[in-house]
Amino acid sequence: MWPSAWPAPAQLASVWGVDLDPRRVRAGRLALGARAALEIGDLRTAAIPPSDAIVLLDVLHYVPPEAQRAVLARSRRALSDGGVLLLRVADAGAGMRFRLTSLADRIATVARGGPPRLYSRALPAWIALLTELGFGDVRSAPMSACTPFANVLLVAR
């Protein structure tokens, strides 16, 4: 149910997504139906189609820094003029809040059978990387309201 006080949601022409976990892909297909093309695959090697918006939520810290850079560079190339990248990351410079975020991620990763190694950056390093890759306008907004975590949304154009 969309709240009546909010502006109308964007009407998406198409949605594309990729995930390593077949269960998540099946759940996405069930939720989105024919509105989305969802694939089982690895974001590190997946061909990102031309896009007006790209959303990467809580994913880049699972891949090494060189793979992070490559995914972001491919994302930048895939974006249309005026396109936007929405990237949620944990701010490794946020002290105890980051340590709690990292601990929760490690526990969840091990519980899913994945390796406990995570690759995080401090917020200024994320912004510098996005700027270096050609995003001219990078803004951040906290995404940890009412939680002990250090999540940040980066909006890059």
Side-chain angles (χ1 to χ4, degrees):
M1 299 289 298
W2 193 262
S4 60
W6 289 10
Q11 297 300 310
L12 303 175
S14 65
V15 175
W16 173 84
V18 63
D19 198 293
L20 287 170
D21 187 338
R23 293 170 298 168
R24 289 185 183 159
V25 171
R26 279 193 303 275
R29 287 176 179 159
L30 181 62
L32 298 170
R35 296 185 297 168
L38 304 177
E39 302 172 8
I40 299 167
D42 190 332
L43 182 62
R44 294 173 294 178
T45 56
I48 302 171
S51 305
D52 293 325
I54 296 176
V55 180
L56 299 171
L57 299 178
D58 303 330
V59 65
L60 286 184
H61 62 288
Y62 293 114
V63 299
E66 61 277 0
Q68 293 173 357
R69 173 186 267 296
V71 167
L72 292 171
R74 287 193 347 271
S75 296
R76 174 66 189 95
R77 288 191 301 272
L79 280 173
S80 62
D81 289 341
V84 63
L85 170 70
L86 301 175
L87 175 64
R88 189 165 89 164
V89 296
D91 177 6
M96 180 56 75
R97 292 179 66 136
F98 172 73
R99 288 192 285 283
L100 287 170
T101 305
S102 184
L103 177 62
D105 279 339
R106 288 174 197 276
I107 290 169
T109 302
V110 170
R112 289 190 303 258
R117 178 83 169 120
L118 301 174
Y119 306 89
S120 300
R121 301 169 189 256
L123 182 56
W126 283 113
I127 293 170
L129 175 59
L130 291 168
T131 301
E132 180 183 326
L133 291 172
F135 291 95
D137 179 21
V138 181
R139 298 172 191 222
S140 66
M143 287 202 65
S144 297
C146 302
T147 74
F149 301 120
N151 297 316
V152 176
L153 177 69
L154 293 169
V155 179
R157 297 180 184 277

